[in-house]
Structures are given as structure tokens and as C-alpha cells.
Amino acid sequence: MRILNWDHADLTLKDIGILAREQAEWALRAEADIAAIRDKVVMASRPLARRQEDLEEALERFVRDHEDEMEGRSRKLTYGRVWIRLVKSVTARSWKRVLDWLVAHRKADYYRVKYEPNKETLALAHADFLKACGARIKEEDSFGYELQD
């Protein structure tokens, strides 16, 4: 397709707006259909999930009650294996407070620092600096349009 004049360009914007609205309507219909199907699946599988949770709780109670009968910390059965493992997890009331303390006491082994280029600052840097670090500024004209409401 080729735009012949400004009136044609204006009508093209109108067509783009109509197509965008139609696509949005289709997307909304699809989302509604997907949500309805998701709700059906959740409702249909809820009794199965409850039954599975009940079975898992009963199995855990049994294994804990019969821990002394296991070979070590686990036991292989016909349909699987059960075990009891010691699990450690670190908790804190305030992770910010923990991090502040670690930084203040220079305990760098106990925290992570994420390094990434600050592109906003680099965009303001001198060309020689950018060249030295392997970056460059790329400039191009970018087309855009706006639809009237």
C-alpha cells in the first residue's frame, strides 16, 4: 500500500484506530474466555487438590510416627520413596536491617551486589569516555503517530 497525500494519510490513521480497537475487542473476548476456562479448571480440580493434600498430610504423619522403622532417613516403597530431611532456612524480621548491619561491618561475603551499567548516566558521558569503555551513543529518527480520541 502506498499513501498518496495527507488526506489519505489521515484516513490511514482512522483505519489504524479502527483495527486497533477491533484487535483490543478480540483480546478482551479471548481473556474472558480464558478466565472462564481457568475458573472451570480450578473448580473441577479443587476436590482433587484437597484429596491430595489430605493424603500428603496422612502420609507425613505416618512417616513421622514410624521414623524409627526407616533405613536411615528414608525408605523406598513400591510406588515411591519417603524421607525426612533436616532443612535449614535463614529468616529475619527485617532483611533491610540485616543488610545494613552486614554493610556497616564490612561483611561482604554475606551479601550480594548486582553490577549493571547505568545507561542514563552513560548517555550524558563524553564521547572519549564512551569509546574507552566500549559504549557508544546511537541516534536515529523514530517515526510515531497518535490517534485522535
Side-chain angles (χ1 to χ4, degrees), residues 56-74:
E56 288 170 349
E57 288 173 12
L59 183 60
E60 180 180 353
R61 273 192 312 273
F62 176 84
V63 170
R64 288 189 183 281
D65 290 345
H66 295 83
E67 185 176 354
D68 56 330
E69 299 170 20
M70 295 196 311
E71 305 98 31
R73 307 272 302 163
S74 68

Side-chain angles (χ1 to χ4, degrees), residues 94-101:
S94 168
W95 285 111
K96 181 186 179 325
R97 185 173 166 200
V98 170
L99 182 60
D100 290 345
W101 187 93

